[in-house]
């Protein structure tokens, strides 16, 4: 359990790299670091206003958007543009009680010192909430937690205690739940009773025990635990995976595209359940046909009202935005903030944090299931209490693109 705890949060951000949804179109806009100015609390006016003309409500977004060593760049990660699109829509509709939303963006580019500096600025300048960020270095979450700043839609980083902070409200935790969910999907949707696990170091120390625990709870058998080493010939790994009567492979690894190609080249036609980035779907070509992918968000092109609203706002305010797991939290966090803040008589940091700590079935615009924070997550040994949304969506590669399965409904591997 200690070893699991040591690795678990390192995989929280790694989960971003493991997973991606939607299109991979890029935008040429640039982001820059900035800090917001101090503002007073926003009170509800006595009459409604069709325009946001009162004092602004300041939000912050701190993320390593342009950090190629972690596989992240402005071609794939634009939570700032997503958030700005949502802000323009909210402000056009009158803001929050007539107060416009204003966003301060910090692209820390993998520099922990920059991320920490931006977090301190957000706290010192009385920013009301932080939205949609992620960082691979530094301790911005600790800093904002100490400042009692609600971090809405933020993906926790490397510090194991971040999932216990009462100020963080992540939208997904595929880095922690990935193998458990893959085993669940293989058993429930592919009807496999014998499943092989494939991952890469150091994730095997987390994924093998959590995958085996899920299998035990479902009454299915793990036929093998195989490490796929980056940069190596994967033939022996995939051949081992099909031994002992294996009926499906659960493969959660950053090199899953290579695993898929190796499996198909060696005549292995077993169902494979994984989590694929758009670039990986493209790179595997025809070998990826029929591969299942567990994703933290609903397919953005699904015909749901919230997703249609998102597409409309992107088309109007951020055309060509990369709709990936790095980007979408920015959009959802702004709208969720606005919806929650709109119910407050006074919009300030303390009231927003208190409101987010007590959400029950909060509308999440069909990107994720209704969001509840009043009940902590108790799966995976209770190590991640603020992983409020353990649900995922099952999708499958068809003709080089993801399509939804399970009728587009989410599934919760830990629902019992």
């Amino acid at each position: 359990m200690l070893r699991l705890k040591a690795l678990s949060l390192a995989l929280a951000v790694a989960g971003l790299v493991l997973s991606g949804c939607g299109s991979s179109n890029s935008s040429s806009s640039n982001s820059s670091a900035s800090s917001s100015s101090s503002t007073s609390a926003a009170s509800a006016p006595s009459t409604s206003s069709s325009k946001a003309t009162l004092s602004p409500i300041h939000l912050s977004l701190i993320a390593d958007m342009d950090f190629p060593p972690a596989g992240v760049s402005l071609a794939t990660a634009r939570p700032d543009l997503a958030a700005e699109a949502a802000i323009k829509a909210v402000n056009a509709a009158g803001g929050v009680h007539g107060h416009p939303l204003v966003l301060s963006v910090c692209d820390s580019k993998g520099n922990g010192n920059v991320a920490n500096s931006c977090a301190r600025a957000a706290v010192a300048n009385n920013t009301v909430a932080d939205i949609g960020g992620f960082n691979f270095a530094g301790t911005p979450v600790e800093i904002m937690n100490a400042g009692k700043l609600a971090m809405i839609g933020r993906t926790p980083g490397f510090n194991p205690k971040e999932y216990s902070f009462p100020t963080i409200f992540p939208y997904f935790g595929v880095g922690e739940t990935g193998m458990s969910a893959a085993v669940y999907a293989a058993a429930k949707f592919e009807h496999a009773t014998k499943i092989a696990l494939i991952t890469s170091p150091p994730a095997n120390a987390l994924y093998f025990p959590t995958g085996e625990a899920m299998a035990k709870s479902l009454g299915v058998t793990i036929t093998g635990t195989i490490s796929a080493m980056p940069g190596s010939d994967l033939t022996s790994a995939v051949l081992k995976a099909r031994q002992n009567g294996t009926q499906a492979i659960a493969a959660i690894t950053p090199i899953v595209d290579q695993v898929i190609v190796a499996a198909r080249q060696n005549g292995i036609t077993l169902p494979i359940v994984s989590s694929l980035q758009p670039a990986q779907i493209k790179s595997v070509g025809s070998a990826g046909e029929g591969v299942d992918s567990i994703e933290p968000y609903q397919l953005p092109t699904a015909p749901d009202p919230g997703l249609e609203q998102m597409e409309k706002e992107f088309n109007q305010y951020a055309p060509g935005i990369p709709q990936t797991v790095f980007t979408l939290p920015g959009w959802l966090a702004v709208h969720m903030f606005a919806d929650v803040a709109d119910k407050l008589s006074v919009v300030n940091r303390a009231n927003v944090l208190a409101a987010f700590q007590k959400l029950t079935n909060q509308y999440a615009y069909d990107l994720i299931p209704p969001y509840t924070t009043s009940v902590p997550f108790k799966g995976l040994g209770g190590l991640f209490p603020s992983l409020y949304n353990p649900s995922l969506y099952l999708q499958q590669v068809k003709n080089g693109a993801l399509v939804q399965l399970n009728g587009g409904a989410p599934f919760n591997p830990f629902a019992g």
Side-chain angles (χ1 to χ4, degrees):
M1 182 61 72
L2 290 176
R3 205 173 171 201
L4 168 61
K5 188 171 183 178
L7 282 169
S8 56
L9 261 292
L11 288 160
V13 177
L16 286 168
V17 181
L18 288 174
S19 174
C21 58
S23 71
S24 58
N25 295 333
S26 63
S27 171
S28 60
S29 299
N30 294 321
S31 64
S32 60
S34 62
S35 61
S36 60
S37 59
S38 177
T39 64
S40 58
S43 301
S46 57
T47 59
S48 62
S49 173
S50 60
K51 293 184 179 181
T53 58
L54 302 179
S55 58
I57 296 172
H58 285 262
L59 306 175
S60 65
L61 192 157
I62 305 169
D64 292 329
M65 293 182 287
D66 191 13
F67 188 42
V72 184
S73 73
L74 296 181
T76 58
R78 296 312 301 257
D80 57 330
L81 297 184
E84 288 286 6
I87 284 174
K88 289 176 181 177
V90 169
N91 289 345
V96 175
H97 301 315
H99 297 267
L101 305 183
V102 175
L103 181 66
S104 171
V105 176
C106 172
D107 182 1
S108 39
K109 302 179 185 292
N111 187 320
N113 292 329
V114 173
N116 291 349
S117 177
C118 290
R120 293 188 191 98
V123 171
N125 292 330
N126 293 322
T127 301
V128 175
D130 178 77
I131 52 102
F134 59 90
N135 290 93
F136 296 91
T139 57
V141 172
E142 288 194 63
I143 293 168
M144 289 187 283
N145 178 67
K148 298 182 179 180
L149 185 65
M151 292 167 275
I152 305 166
R154 167 170 272 273
T155 301
F158 292 102
N159 192 328
K161 62 186 177 183
E162 289 181 7
Y163 266 103
S164 66
F165 290 159
T167 53
I168 193 164
F169 307 99
Y171 287 146
F172 63 87
V174 69
E176 289 69 42
T177 64
M179 187 61 82
S180 300
V183 170
Y184 181 94
K188 293 296 184 180
F189 301 113
E190 295 293 351
H191 310 292
T193 59
K194 296 182 178 181
I195 304 167
L197 311 184
I198 298 181
T199 190
S200 300
N204 47 7
L206 170 68
Y207 283 154
F208 288 160
T210 56
E212 290 170 331
M214 179 58 69
K216 182 178 180 180
S217 71
L218 297 172
V220 302
T221 301
I222 298 301
T223 58
T225 54
I226 301 107
S227 293
M229 303 300 294
S232 68
D233 183 349
L234 298 175
T235 299
S236 61
V238 296
L239 291 177
K240 183 178 179 182
R242 74 175 178 186
Q243 294 177 355
N244 303 316
T246 296
Q247 298 170 338
I249 298 171
I252 303 294
T253 165
I255 59 169
V256 67
D257 50 344
Q258 300 172 43
V259 171
I260 291 169
V261 170
R264 299 314 189 221
Q265 286 179 342
N266 283 277
I268 299 172
T269 59
L270 295 171
I272 298 176
V273 182
S274 187
S275 187
L276 290 160
Q277 297 185 66
Q280 291 176 318
I281 296 172
K282 183 178 180 180
S283 70
V284 297
S286 61
E289 191 71 9
V291 170
D292 294 334
S293 188
I294 50 173
E295 301 294 333
Y297 292 111
Q298 176 60 287
L299 206 61
T301 55
D304 297 310
L307 299 177
E308 290 173 349
Q309 177 181 336
M310 182 182 73
E311 288 301 311
K312 180 180 179 180
E313 292 177 12
F314 284 166
N315 288 337
Q316 183 173 0
Y317 300 117
I321 190 173
Q323 296 187 33
T324 68
V325 72
F326 300 100
T327 296
L328 298 180
W331 184 87
L332 178 56
V334 168
H335 276 291
M336 190 175 288
F337 168 85
D339 290 346
V340 172
D342 198 52
K343 299 176 183 177
L344 302 175
S345 58
V346 176
V347 181
N348 60 24
R349 184 183 300 181
N351 288 350
V352 168
L353 176 59
F356 266 87
Q357 290 172 337
K358 297 180 287 187
L359 297 181
T360 300
N361 292 326
Q362 178 66 37
Y363 180 52
Y365 291 81
D366 302 310
L367 265 176
I368 61 174
Y371 193 63
T372 295
T373 63
S374 56
V375 180
F377 176 61
K378 298 179 181 179
L380 297 176
L383 295 176
F384 314 103
S386 63
L387 204 169
Y388 299 114
N389 173 41
S391 295
L392 294 152
Y393 293 85
L394 184 67
Q395 297 164 18
Q396 190 175 77
V397 180
K398 292 287 187 183
N399 298 318
L402 289 176
V403 298
Q404 62 183 11
L405 298 182
N406 194 35
F411 68 94
N412 182 351
F414 305 95

